[in-house]
Amino acid sequence: MPGSNQCRKFNRRERAGGILLLLKALLFVTASSLETINGLYGGTLVIPCNTGAIKAEDILITKWKYDKGDGLAGDLLVKQRDQNTSIIANDEYKGRVSMAANFSLLLSDARLTDQRTFTCMVVAGANIVEYPVNIVVYKTPTELKISDKAEELEIGKPTKLATCVAAEANPAANITWLKNNTPLVADGDGTSIHASVLVDPITGLSTTSSVLEYSAKKEDTNAEFTCRTVEDDLVSQPVTFTITYSTENVVLQVTAVDPLVEGDNLTLKCVADGNPAPTSFNFHLKGEVVKVENANTYTITNVTRDTSGEYKCSLVDNPTMEASEEVVVKYLDVILSPSGTVVKNAGETLDLGLHIDSSEATKVSWTKDNFKLNKEPKFTKVAYSDAGRYECDVTMGLLNQKASFELVVEGAPVIRQLSKQRGDDGQHKVLVCEAEGSPKPSVSWSINGTSLDESPFINGKITHRIKVVPTANLTVSCTVSNDFGMDTRTINVSSLFEDVRVAKQGQTDGDQTRLVVGVVVGLLVAAVVLGLAYWVYMKKSKQGSWKTGEKENGSSEEEKKLEEKVEENSQKAEV
């Protein structure tokens, strides 16, 4: 055999080196401590030799062997210095072994049968040293899955839930069960776990099976169960189970917009916690019972305030299992009297009525022409200022209703004030006529003026202004009128020149007062002198006329002129 030939060659080389030298070296053989190497199943094992204790240049011969059991050793390969490695294995290791540059043994296709001791023998000078290495081969399970899953679980009844299998592993896998990622522990009260291991006689690999027996609870609905290996932390795909249990609770749900008001729809839904869930229900609708099959809802359309009340639902096969819910349809009715357009004469009474019919307490606010009022308006005697659009806003939670009316106040116009004032430039006067009435009264004056100005007609009031330049004292009238009547007022207006004279008379300070007194005294003296002269003149004129026979008409004309002169001076004296 080739292996025997290689051994004979090796023995001859040893004899060539001298039998005595070999015997001497055998006297110095030592054994190193046992080292353990872990390898993966099917992979290549790297088994170290020497680990650097002896320098490579000092090594003469390296030989690998293994423990066959019963105290027997099997040769694998040998290498002499400066020569190629010789493979001498002729059993299961034939074709699977080789040597690395650092003298390590390379063993391919690792198997469970390789779990034994391999020894590296090194000859260096006169010493022979052996390095034994123990081999352990690991293999993760080829798969981890849950099988034999139960169809359904009944609450409180112990049931074989499923089997978790970890196949072809070494060492045999340890399996744990989890519910929602929380480990389950066998407690003998609802949870039991039974594990078994089967070894393949050919490969030596182990398959672990773990059976979970479980007593389900209602909260286990949709729970995820998994299994996991302890050594490799492999996790199976999660599984869920159908949990069956009888109905214990019934709930009636009301689905509707909020707030629920008249005209809306509402849906009643009966929810039972049984599994499988009931498919038929009875709906109790205020004295009427409606049976619904293959559904759990009932819809009421176009609700009214009479829809409010208690509603129930129950199981058809167990009427004692029922639930109830109160339904409230909210409503808000607002009636305002009067409404629309209301026409009243000034001074009349207006009775205002607001009627509210609602399902809850309300709040009321008022506005007039979009401006908020502090309280509800009262109309004991209607005035022109009361005219406008009134609106009430009634709110109840998220609901609100509005009502309004337009108040029109009519009546004959009345002038409230007629006044005058001097213009800013002193060259004109401003007459102001303020009046009330509705519809809007027209305004006219008894005098022509300029710069007519009319205010906006608001709350039955209007103000009219006119500019005038009076050259004499006047009496001016203002007239206002509409379809219901008219009103007139007058005012005395002095001329601008008279105003100047009066203003001068009103001066009372210092020299101006003395000057006026002096002027008045002088005018009085002049009047007396002129009167005396007039008397003398008239006397002579009459005498002369009688003497000379002049025409009486001529004397009369002169007399008339003199009288006019005296009268003019007299008027000045009065001023």
Side-chain angles (χ1 to χ4, degrees):
M1 295 178 66
S4 299
N5 294 333
Q6 291 176 353
C7 286
R8 286 193 293 269
K9 291 179 181 180
F10 174 67
N11 292 333
R12 287 195 295 271
R13 293 191 187 97
E14 287 182 332
R15 284 195 295 271
I19 296 176
L20 293 176
L21 180 61
L22 179 58
L23 293 175
K24 183 180 180 181
L26 291 176
L27 296 176
F28 295 93
V29 173
T30 59
S32 63
S33 60
L34 186 62
E35 182 181 1
T36 299
I37 296 297
N38 297 325
L40 294 178
Y41 184 86
T44 297
L45 302 178
V46 180
I47 306 173
C49 173
N50 179 26
T51 62
I54 301 176
K55 295 181 179 180
E57 58 270 20
D58 295 335
I59 297 176
L60 300 176
I61 300 172
T62 301
K63 181 180 179 179
W64 275 98
K65 58 184 179 179
Y66 68 96
D67 183 7
K68 297 178 66 173
D70 297 330
L72 301 177
D75 295 329
L76 296 174
L77 54 78
V78 66
K79 183 182 186 309
Q80 296 187 53
R81 186 168 58 182
D82 301 329
Q83 293 185 16
N84 294 328
T85 301
S86 297
I87 306 299
I88 55 179
N90 57 5
D91 49 16
E92 60 180 305
Y93 293 107
K94 184 178 180 180
R96 293 174 57 206
V97 294
S98 61
M99 182 182 290
N102 62 353
F103 306 107
S104 295
L105 176 66
L106 303 179
L107 177 58
S108 62
D109 190 20
R111 306 166 187 174
L112 296 188
T113 54
D114 296 331
Q115 297 186 115
R116 55 183 60 175
T117 299
F118 290 80
T119 301
C120 173
M121 186 179 69
V122 176
V123 178
N127 297 323
I128 297 177
V129 183
E130 290 186 347
Y131 297 93
V133 180
N134 189 46
I135 300 299
V136 177
V137 178
Y138 286 94
K139 183 181 183 301
T140 58
T142 54
E143 63 178 350
L144 182 66
K145 67 177 182 179
I146 294 176
S147 60
D148 299 331
K149 177 184 172 184
E151 292 293 332
E152 60 184 31
L153 302 179
E154 184 177 348
I155 288 181
K157 180 181 179 180
T159 305
K160 178 184 176 182
L161 187 135
T163 300
C164 180
V165 178
E168 299 180 341
N170 189 64
N174 291 314
I175 296 175
T176 59
W177 284 91
L178 304 94
K179 183 183 75 173
N180 294 331
N181 294 324
T182 300
L184 293 173
V185 179
D187 54 11
D189 183 21
T191 302
S192 298
I193 300 174
H194 306 282
S196 61
V197 177
L198 180 62
V199 179
D200 189 304
I202 298 176
T203 63
L205 297 176
S206 300
T207 297
T208 303
S209 298
S210 180
V211 178
L212 173 63
E213 189 176 87
Y214 188 74
S215 181
K217 306 176 184 63
K218 185 182 297 185
E219 55 267 26
D220 292 329
T221 301
N222 299 323
E224 292 186 343
F225 290 83
T226 55
C227 59
R228 182 177 65 193
T229 61
V230 175
E231 297 81 8
D232 308 296
D233 202 25
L234 296 178
V235 181
S236 69
Q237 290 294 322
V239 293
T240 58
F241 298 88
T242 300
I243 311 297
T244 61
Y245 49 89
S246 301
T247 297
E248 297 178 355
N249 297 289
V250 176
V251 176
L252 178 60
Q253 299 176 349
V254 178
T255 304
V257 294
D258 186 23
L260 177 64
V261 298
E262 293 184 310
D264 289 342
N265 300 336
L266 71 86
T267 299
L268 304 175
K269 183 177 181 180
C270 201
V271 180
D273 63 353
N275 191 30
T279 58
S280 299
F281 298 90
N282 284 331
F283 287 91
H284 304 259
L285 312 174
K286 300 183 67 175
E288 180 185 2
V289 179
V290 177
K291 181 180 179 181
V292 176
E293 295 183 344
N294 299 321
N296 64 346
T297 60
Y298 183 83
T299 299
I300 302 176
T301 60
N302 195 26
V303 300
T304 66
R305 63 192 66 185
D306 295 331
T307 306
S308 298
E310 184 183 33
Y311 291 80
K312 296 181 179 181
C313 74
S314 63
L315 302 183
V316 173
D317 56 357
N318 186 5
T320 61
M321 297 291 296
E322 67 176 12
S324 64
E325 194 69 30
E326 191 75 20
V327 172
V328 177
V329 180
K330 297 182 179 181
Y331 57 90
L332 176 61
D333 296 333
V334 177
I335 300 176
L336 178 62
S337 177
S339 61
T341 300
V342 180
V343 179
K344 285 288 183 178
N345 293 326
E348 290 185 342
T349 299
L350 173 62
D351 294 327
L352 186 64
L354 178 63
H355 177 71
I356 300 174
D357 187 12
S358 62
S359 57
E360 297 177 4
T362 60
K363 294 182 179 180
V364 181
S365 61
W366 285 88
T367 59
K368 177 189 178 186
D369 296 329
N370 295 324
F371 289 96
K372 186 175 181 180
L373 300 177
N374 293 328
K375 58 183 179 179
E376 180 179 337
K378 300 292 183 182
F379 305 99
T380 304
K381 289 185 178 181
V382 175
Y384 293 116
S385 59
D386 293 329
R389 182 178 183 275
Y390 292 83
E391 181 179 78
C392 67
D393 188 354
V394 182
T395 60
M396 184 188 73
L398 298 177
L399 296 180
N400 81 300
Q401 291 284 346
K402 295 182 179 181
S404 64
F405 69 92
E406 184 80 23
L407 176 59
V408 177
V409 181
E410 296 180 338
V414 175
I415 296 176
R416 296 302 182 189
Q417 184 175 355
L418 180 60
S419 60
K420 60 184 176 180
Q421 59 190 34
R422 179 184 288 272
D424 295 337
D425 55 3
Q427 301 299 316
H428 65 276
K429 290 190 176 182
V430 179
L431 306 183
V432 182
C433 187
E434 300 178 17
E436 282 186 334
S438 183
K440 175 184 175 182
S442 60
V443 182
S444 62
W445 297 86
S446 62
I447 186 174
N448 293 329
T450 60
S451 301
L452 296 178
D453 180 25
E454 183 178 281
S455 67
F457 182 62
I458 300 175
N459 292 330
K461 295 182 180 180
I462 188 172
T463 300
H464 203 276
R465 292 177 173 82
I466 185 174
K467 292 182 179 180
V468 298
V469 183
T471 59
N473 295 338
L474 301 172
T475 298
V476 180
S477 63
C478 173
T479 302
V480 293
S481 63
N482 62 13
D483 295 340
F484 293 89
M486 63 180 293
D487 189 18
T488 300
R489 272 199 186 188
T490 61
I491 188 172
N492 293 323
V493 182
S494 60
S495 70
L496 293 174
F497 303 106
E498 179 70 13
D499 289 344
V500 172
R501 184 180 69 81
V502 172
K504 289 183 178 180
Q505 286 180 348
Q507 293 177 355
T508 58
D509 294 337
D511 295 339
Q512 291 183 351
T513 302
R514 291 192 293 271
L515 177 62
V516 171
V517 172
V519 171
V520 171
V521 172
L523 289 175
L524 290 174
V525 172
V528 172
V529 172
L530 288 174
L532 181 61
Y534 174 72
W535 179 78
V536 173
Y537 174 78
M538 289 296 298
K539 185 176 181 180
K540 288 183 178 182
S541 297
K542 289 179 179 180
Q543 292 175 355
S545 175
W546 295 334
K547 292 179 179 181
T548 60
E550 292 178 353
K551 294 182 178 180
E552 187 176 352
N553 289 340
S555 298
S556 297
E557 290 178 357
E558 292 178 356
E559 181 180 352
K560 188 175 182 179
K561 290 179 180 180
L562 183 60
E563 288 177 353
E564 291 176 352
K565 185 67 175 177
V566 171
E567 183 178 359
E568 180 181 352
N569 291 334
S570 298
Q571 290 178 349
K572 291 181 179 179
E574 291 177 358
V575 174

